[in-house]
Amino acid sequence: MGAGRAPWVVALLVNLMRPDSFMVEGRDSPEDFVIQAKAECYFTNGTEKVRFLVRFIFNLEEYLHFDSDLGFFVALTELGEVDADQWNKRLDLLETSRAAVNMVCRQEYKLGAPFTVERNVPPEVTVYPERTPLLQQHNLLLCSVTDFYPGDISVRWFRNGQEERSGVMSTGLVRNGDWTFQTTVMLEMIPELGDVYSCLVEHPGLLRPVSVAWVAQSEYSWEKILSGAAAFLLGLTVFLVGAVIHLKAQKASVETQPGNED
Amino acid sequence: IKAEHVATYDIFVQTQHPSGECMYAFDGDEQFYVDLDREETVWDLPEFSKVYAFDAQEALPYIDSLKNNLRALIQRYNVTQDPSEPPEVTVFPKNPVELGQPNVLICHIDRLFPPVLNVTWLRNGQPVTEGTSETVFLASTELRFHKFHYLTFIPTAQDVYDCRVEHWSLDQPSLSHWEMQEPVQVSETMETTVCALGLVVGLVGSVVGSALIVRAPHGGHNPRTQEPL
């Protein structure tokens, strides 16, 4: 929206100036009155189909709009009747508004495309249980998907390779307001020994889907237990052998003493 | 209206503060807004300023025109203020929370009308001003607004946070609470503990046992047997 590139806005809004407006004196009021002007470009299939809408809203009431599908101004409530009549008689205004589809919408789309339409930020995926996991006890697995753009995303849970559809809940798509999104998808589950749960995430920013696994009781954990037990037993054995040898040696040494006295 | 993408150019003026706003958004995220007080354009992401050029001066006539139109509407029609509904406030972290890892708390205020708002972050009940930022009013559903407030923070087990919202519709400020959940014990903690204890005890046993073997007294010789009879 560079300088001189928004003539439709100038044309539309300048026309809002009316001589009688200057007669009104501003006064402080405990109430609040709001007027909004929105110019909206709707794109389908790239810039193949473009719809341009200008809307005027007083407080929460849309009272007037221009729709490129119609090509002229329409009063939606009493508030817009005077302006709609006047504006539809101005051919220059109608022409500029009708041309906005090409002169504004399509141009802005192409100009910003590398940073908007083509913006791709892949997600980070984290899987963790809601509570300390115990076998045979109900729990909730959370798949947290963060910092991605655009919002198109697919998050699915698998248990031992089979997709889980029941017991799945989601926060839905959450906008962070800083050009990133996040979502969390939760799976109700009762972990059984050896179960493998996987969260599969598909997103335009990912070359291939990302799968993050959580294992109910990984073999590595058993290896840890076995390692600990083996080390413990080895240490215990060496200690016992050492103790026995030491005691025997001491006994033999004690027997030597009476011999010396003789 | 169904579409793949939506670009919106939003302007509003009102009789209360802030008196006006001018912003441009694509698919719901703000690309830039015009700071009317300082009369300058502010870009949300730095890369946007490379392809777009929007002179803040251009926005001023639009704002003035809307102001005049607002006065005309108020004068010409017997308008009354629309009743306010309480906004919807949610507080959530930007990333999964880990103790000691910097993160961002997000306070989202939705279904806002009118766009007059006061938001304060509280940590353990005390106002926080460092590390805070916010968006302008963004278009939401049903012609209302929504807004984001951010707080950079480092999670600790004891700190609690509130997003305090003051709005026309609320008789008293609304507090939305957030605090860190009990840290989840990773599934391998028990196994790791068993392994570590086993290794330690095993190592100690081995060392002590070996020492006992090496330092055993030599009592194998009987002097009596060597004496001449």
Side-chain angles (χ1 to χ4, degrees):
Chain A
M1 316 191 82
R5 231 181 306 193
W8 54 271
V9 174
V10 175
L12 288 180
L13 293 177
V14 167
N15 191 61
L16 292 171
M17 309 277 292
R18 272 185 296 271
D20 60 350
S21 300
F22 295 101
M23 307 300 293
V24 180
E25 292 181 1
R27 65 183 186 278
D28 284 345
S29 160
E31 303 166 296
D32 183 30
F33 297 106
V34 187
I35 188 168
Q36 303 181 55
K38 294 173 180 285
E40 300 171 345
C41 300
Y42 295 89
F43 303 94
T44 305
N45 204 5
T47 55
E48 179 176 318
K49 173 175 163 51
V50 180
R51 182 177 179 185
F52 174 66
L53 209 60
V54 182
R55 310 160 74 189
F56 292 91
I57 298 132
F58 177 77
N59 285 346
L60 292 174
E61 176 186 329
E62 183 174 356
Y63 64 89
L64 174 68
H65 75 201
F66 173 90
D67 186 341
S68 62
D69 284 357
L70 292 177
F72 53 90
F73 293 91
V74 176
L76 301 172
T77 72
E78 178 194 5
L79 299 185
E81 288 168 5
V82 172
D83 291 329
D85 285 346
Q86 291 180 1
W87 295 0
N88 283 329
K89 293 171 183 172
R90 290 190 46 180
L91 296 184
D92 61 324
L93 187 55
L94 287 177
E95 186 173 319
T96 301
S97 302
R98 290 167 183 165
V101 164
N102 289 322
M103 298 304 296
V104 176
C105 297
R106 286 193 165 97
Q107 287 198 24
E108 295 296 332
Y109 185 99
K110 291 171 181 173
L111 192 62
F115 306 97
T116 54
V117 178
E118 294 161 23
R119 174 176 165 86
N120 258 326
V121 182
E124 296 184 12
V125 185
T126 306
V127 171
Y128 57 96
E130 183 187 48
R131 295 178 293 275
T132 301
L134 298 170
L135 292 180
Q136 307 299 337
Q137 291 204 17
H138 184 272
N139 209 327
L140 205 61
L141 270 184
L142 287 78
C143 182
S144 177
V145 190
T146 55
D147 277 344
F148 56 90
Y149 190 95
D152 312 335
I153 196 153
S154 163
V155 182
R156 292 184 290 163
W157 272 110
F158 291 79
R159 173 171 174 265
N160 301 325
Q162 296 294 318
E163 181 172 6
E164 292 276 331
R165 296 184 185 275
S166 60
V168 177
M169 298 162 288
S170 171
T171 60
L173 187 66
V174 175
R175 186 186 298 272
N176 289 331
D178 60 359
W179 289 85
T180 67
F181 292 91
Q182 62 168 285
T183 186
T184 300
V185 180
M186 295 148 277
L187 174 69
E188 294 181 7
M189 56 102 178
I190 302 179
E192 297 178 5
L193 186 61
D195 278 349
V196 179
Y197 293 88
S198 300
C199 177
L200 184 71
V201 177
E202 298 169 88
H203 183 266
L206 295 169
L207 293 180
R208 67 190 119 272
V210 161
S211 177
V212 176
W214 184 88
V215 186
Q217 196 78 52
S218 72
E219 297 175 358
Y220 178 67
S221 298
W222 282 113
E223 288 173 3
K224 280 187 175 179
I225 293 184
L226 290 178
S227 301
F232 175 80
L233 290 178
L234 176 63
L236 184 63
T237 301
V238 173
F239 175 80
L240 290 179
V241 169
V244 168
I245 291 178
H246 184 77
L247 288 176
K248 282 187 174 181
Q250 274 196 331
K251 185 176 181 182
S253 173
V254 168
E255 288 175 355
T256 303
Q257 299 297 326
N260 289 338
E261 292 175 359
D262 293 342
Chain B
I1 297 181
K2 190 175 180 181
E4 286 171 3
H5 298 288
V6 183
T8 61
Y9 183 61
D10 285 342
I11 312 171
F12 78 77
V13 301
Q14 61 183 337
T15 54
Q16 297 288 338
H17 185 79
S19 63
E21 188 185 281
C22 176
M23 61 83 70
Y24 184 81
F26 187 87
D27 284 344
D29 275 297
E30 173 217 328
Q31 280 190 277
F32 71 84
Y33 73 92
V34 174
D35 186 322
L36 297 171
D37 295 328
R38 291 183 295 175
E39 294 187 6
E40 66 179 26
T41 303
V42 182
W43 305 95
D44 194 64
L45 297 181
E47 55 259 43
F48 291 148
S49 63
K50 296 174 184 173
V51 289
Y52 289 109
F54 186 83
D55 188 348
Q57 292 294 321
E58 285 187 41
L60 303 184
Y62 315 153
I63 295 292
D64 288 341
S65 298
L66 271 191
K67 282 180 181 176
N68 286 316
N69 198 48
L70 178 58
R71 284 198 285 259
L73 287 177
I74 296 175
Q75 181 195 37
R76 187 192 304 161
Y77 301 98
N78 196 17
V79 297
T80 58
Q81 178 174 347
D82 285 348
S84 291
E85 292 174 15
E88 295 172 5
V89 186
T90 52
V91 178
F92 54 93
K94 182 171 159 66
N95 297 110
V97 177
E98 297 177 46
L99 282 174
Q101 292 298 316
N103 208 322
V104 179
L105 267 185
I106 301 177
C107 181
H108 182 222
I109 306 120
D110 201 357
R111 297 191 54 77
L112 255 175
F113 192 85
V116 180
L117 190 67
N118 224 355
V119 177
T120 309
W121 282 106
L122 306 177
R123 174 186 293 127
N124 303 321
Q126 298 301 314
V128 182
T129 53
E130 283 186 8
T132 63
S133 59
E134 66 193 72
T135 66
V136 291
F137 291 97
L138 308 167
S140 185
T141 54
E142 297 171 15
L143 306 176
R144 295 171 189 268
F145 298 86
H146 72 122
K147 197 169 195 282
F148 293 89
H149 280 253
Y150 307 97
L151 173 67
T152 57
F153 77 117
I154 300 181
T156 67
Q158 61 268 16
D159 285 338
V160 300
Y161 295 86
D162 296 278
C163 177
R164 185 176 68 193
V165 173
E166 299 168 83
H167 186 253
W168 219 279
S169 58
L170 302 167
D171 293 333
Q172 55 191 6
S174 161
L175 294 184
S176 291
H177 188 77
W178 185 90
E179 67 187 68
M180 188 164 186
Q181 304 297 317
E182 283 291 324
V184 173
Q185 186 176 335
V186 296
S187 63
E188 295 183 359
T189 300
M190 181 188 71
E191 290 76 16
T192 303
T193 302
V194 169
C195 182
L197 287 179
L199 288 174
V200 169
V201 174
L203 182 63
V204 170
S206 297
V207 170
V208 173
S210 300
L212 289 177
I213 292 172
V214 169
R215 296 167 56 97
H218 303 286
H221 306 289
N222 190 333
R224 180 183 297 273
T225 61
Q226 297 179 10
E227 291 179 6
L229 294 177

